[in-house]
Amino acid sequence: MAGKKQFDVGVALDAAMVQFWRAGYADTSLDDLSRTTGLNRSSIYSSFGDKDSLYLRCLDRYAERYGSRYDQALSGASAEPLQAVRAFFEVTLERIADPDVPDGCLIAQTAMAAPTLSPAVAARATEALRLQHARLRTALNATQLTEGDADDFAAHLTAVNQSLAVMSRARASQKQLRTVIDISMSALSRALRARS
C-alpha cells in the first residue's frame, strides 16, 4: 500500500537510541543513523524529522523505558524506604551490566553535552533529571524525613545515580559502584533512624 511505513518504528528508534548513546549526539552522523536503523536519509527525515527531532524521540523513549523501572522500584518506599531506594539503584546497575546497551546513561551524557546542543535537546535532558529528582523526592516524602531532608536526599541520590553512569563509562568495577551506593544508603539509613 502506497505511503505505508515498511519498517518497525520502535526497532528503528531503539537502534538510533543506542547509536546516540554509544557515540553521543555530536559524533553521530546521519550516515551512522542510516547504517544502524537500516533506513535511508529520506526515510529518516520523513519518519522522524531532523536529527534533533529524532534525538528528542530517543531521549523520550529512554526516559520512558527506564523511568517506569525506577517508578516500580520506588513504589514500596512508604513501607520499606531503604529497600525501595536500593531497588532504584539496582535498576541503574542492571542497565550498566546489560551487554546489549552501551555503558553510561543517555540522559547524563546529554546533560554533560548540553552547552553544545540545541536548546530543545538541552531542556529535555534537564527535564529528565528534574523528573528523576521528583520521583525520588516523592518516594522519600512517604518516609519520616522532613520535606527539606527528603528534597536534599533526592538531590543527592539523583547525583549519585548519574555519577554511577559516568563512572561506568570510565570502566569502574561493579564493586566500586556498589561502594558508592552503600555510602549513600548508609547516610540515608542514619537519617531515617534519627527521625524514627
Side-chain angles (χ1 to χ4, degrees), residues 31 61 91 144 166:
D31 288 339
R61 191 167 182 84
V91 171
Q144 303 95 343
V166 174

Side-chain angles (χ1 to χ4, degrees), residues 14-195:
D14 282 344
M17 179 179 71
V18 169
Q19 175 60 40
F20 281 129
W21 189 352
R22 181 174 290 116
Y25 177 89
D27 291 331
T28 295
S29 67
L30 280 174
D31 288 339
D32 294 328
L33 293 168
S34 181
R35 186 183 67 256
T36 59
T37 63
L39 303 174
N40 61 37
R41 286 173 177 244
S42 64
S43 292
I44 291 172
Y45 279 115
S46 66
S47 300
F48 304 110
D50 63 8
K51 186 177 167 184
D52 268 16
S53 298
L54 176 56
Y55 195 70
L56 288 169
R57 290 201 48 190
C58 290
L59 282 175
D60 288 346
R61 191 167 182 84
Y62 180 94
E64 179 182 316
R65 177 172 297 158
Y66 294 105
S68 64
R69 294 177 191 176
Y70 287 131
D71 287 337
Q72 183 178 3
L74 292 170
S75 64
S78 60
E80 295 285 344
L82 291 173
Q83 185 177 337
V85 173
R86 176 85 57 188
F88 169 87
F89 283 126
E90 286 299 324
V91 171
T92 299
L93 292 176
E94 287 169 14
R95 187 192 68 228
I96 288 169
D98 185 346
D100 294 330
V101 298
D103 289 332
C105 166
L106 184 61
I107 302 297
Q109 184 176 313
T110 304
M112 289 187 294
T116 64
L117 300 173
S118 74
V121 172
R124 192 68 57 89
T126 300
E127 176 64 10
L129 291 173
R130 189 196 65 73
L131 285 173
Q132 188 168 93
H133 176 265
R135 178 181 285 123
L136 282 159
R137 186 183 61 235
T138 298
L140 293 172
N141 278 341
T143 69
Q144 303 95 343
L145 294 174
T146 66
E147 190 171 320
D149 285 347
D151 191 61
D152 290 346
F153 266 105
H156 171 79
L157 297 173
T158 299
V160 168
N161 198 50
Q162 296 308 310
S163 74
L164 296 174
V166 174
M167 290 173 67
S168 76
R169 285 201 84 137
R171 303 288 183 242
S173 68
Q174 280 282 318
K175 183 175 186 287
Q176 290 169 315
L177 299 177
R178 287 191 180 280
T179 298
V180 170
I181 292 169
D182 288 345
I183 291 169
S184 293
M185 294 302 300
S186 178
L188 179 58
S189 177
R190 284 192 306 273
L192 288 170
R193 278 198 312 271
R195 283 278 163 196

